[in-house]
Amino acid sequence: MSEMRPFHAFSVPSVMLSDLQDKVFDQVDWPTLFHSTGDDRVKRTNLILDASKMAASKIDASYSVWCPLTRDGEAETATYYGCFFGAERIEVGDCVRVAPLSGDAASCNDSSVLGLRSIIARSGSSDSLLFRGNVYQIAKMAQGTTTDNAVPLEHLPLPLRDESQWRSHVTPDQPWRWVLVKEDVLLEERSVRGRFYPAHRLMPILNGPSFSTAVADGNMENQYPFLNNRMDGSGGYIGRKQNRRDTLGTSVPPDAVITLEPLIRELDDVEPFTPVRSG
């Protein structure tokens, strides 16, 4: 099972059964469907595959926040230390991959990364999730040249610092620098593709032999993790859920318990905050 990483590097494919199209996982009467397959192993296998796709799509289209940093019960916005963003855990200090923004291609293109400084949840007529931080892009410098926008290593977010140190170690004669292209950017949920992973942390998992060959040859030009983007596959948008267990819903048994590390305090674990009123 440790070798199974479904939908980590590939978008969730469409379901095969026509009766399941345009539905979300929790809308399906799974016990009745599985009973209807009888002893037909092929039908049962196809149904299991479609169920796994729909469960993955449901998680991909949802998010939940944890560890509130502000607790004003009357405010429309609140900041959080972290969130479960689709299948991924993201927290302040991480970096996220950014989708190209319409009309702002220079600041946000396919290589853009946001150094995450704030996670903001907005409530009201419609919930929304926002990400704030600085946008960076990686650039290959000619040897001996510099740029005013190249960020010193010690000022980079930790994931970009890790990536830079690895590239400098592997190809010291081919300088790579992370360049600051825009400060204090506020991105909507749909503008974030997913978490950024340093290439040397993830590529050995996704394609170890090819990555090892590229490193041995000094070919760093295209060594970026080829990950799926959140909500690239089929299935509609779901949005905010109360917590991780709520996100999983009926895709796990009713008595299933999710064990998270102690620092993660989901909203049902946080004591209610009562604003102090004057007078």
Side-chain angles (χ1 to χ4, degrees):
M1 293 296 290
S2 63
E3 295 303 315
M4 294 180 64
R5 298 178 179 88
F7 317 127
H8 198 177
F10 305 96
S11 296
V12 182
S14 300
V15 296
M16 294 179 287
L17 302 179
S18 58
D19 290 346
L20 297 179
Q21 293 177 1
D22 301 321
K23 292 183 180 179
V24 296
F25 188 93
D26 292 347
Q27 295 175 335
V28 178
D29 183 356
W30 293 108
T32 299
L33 269 182
F34 275 102
H35 181 74
S36 69
T37 62
D39 296 328
D40 192 323
R41 296 182 62 182
V42 173
K43 286 184 178 180
R44 188 174 184 83
T45 298
N46 289 340
L47 188 57
I48 290 172
L49 289 173
D50 277 354
S52 69
K53 296 173 190 176
M54 293 179 68
S57 292
K58 172 193 171 182
I59 294 168
D60 188 41
S62 307
Y63 71 87
S64 62
V65 291
W66 44 270
C67 286
L69 300 178
T70 55
R71 298 188 187 180
D72 186 346
E74 295 184 346
E76 290 188 358
T77 62
T79 57
Y80 295 84
Y81 186 77
C83 65
F84 290 115
F85 191 63
E88 297 180 300
R89 167 181 164 176
I90 295 174
E91 59 192 58
V92 172
D94 282 338
C95 292
V96 294
R97 296 173 286 121
V98 178
L101 300 180
S102 177
D104 195 11
S107 297
C108 293
N109 58 31
D110 283 333
S111 67
S112 297
V113 174
L114 181 82
L116 191 55
R117 300 170 68 179
S118 298
I119 298 172
I120 305 165
R122 180 181 295 156
S123 58
S125 57
S126 60
D127 293 334
S128 59
L129 188 65
L130 305 170
F131 299 88
R132 185 187 296 276
N134 296 337
V135 175
Y136 305 86
Q137 292 172 4
I138 196 166
K140 184 178 181 181
M141 308 289 179
Q143 194 164 17
T145 64
T146 59
T147 175
D148 292 339
N149 289 338
V151 181
L153 191 66
E154 63 272 17
H155 294 160
L156 286 171
L158 286 176
L160 302 188
R161 192 183 310 175
D162 188 19
E163 170 97 4
S164 295
Q165 290 173 327
W166 169 72
R167 286 180 178 271
S168 296
H169 174 73
V170 174
T171 56
D173 58 335
Q174 299 177 24
W176 293 85
R177 298 290 184 271
W178 283 98
V179 175
L180 177 65
V181 294
K182 199 166 186 177
E183 293 185 274
D184 198 29
V185 176
L186 187 65
L187 295 179
E188 296 182 351
E189 177 187 353
R190 296 297 184 96
S191 297
V192 174
R193 289 173 158 175
R195 187 176 176 182
F196 168 84
Y197 300 88
H200 63 296
R201 303 291 182 188
L202 191 58
M203 286 300 288
I205 298 173
L206 299 182
N207 193 346
S210 176
F211 180 72
S212 297
T213 299
V215 171
D217 294 341
N219 178 18
M220 297 294 100
E221 193 76 30
N222 297 312
Q223 292 309 307
Y224 294 97
F226 296 99
L227 296 177
N228 64 306
N229 298 321
R230 180 171 179 257
M231 295 188 62
D232 265 359
S234 58
Y237 178 72
I238 294 175
R240 184 170 179 173
K241 306 295 285 186
Q242 178 71 11
N243 50 45
R244 199 58 167 162
R245 180 63 183 82
D246 186 32
T247 297
L248 295 176
T250 58
S251 65
V252 295
D255 58 350
V257 176
I258 299 176
T259 302
L260 302 172
E261 60 186 281
L263 73 85
I264 296 180
R265 294 180 294 111
E266 297 192 284
L267 296 191
D268 56 351
D269 298 328
V270 179
E271 294 182 2
F273 175 73
T274 303
V276 177
R277 300 181 183 275
S278 59

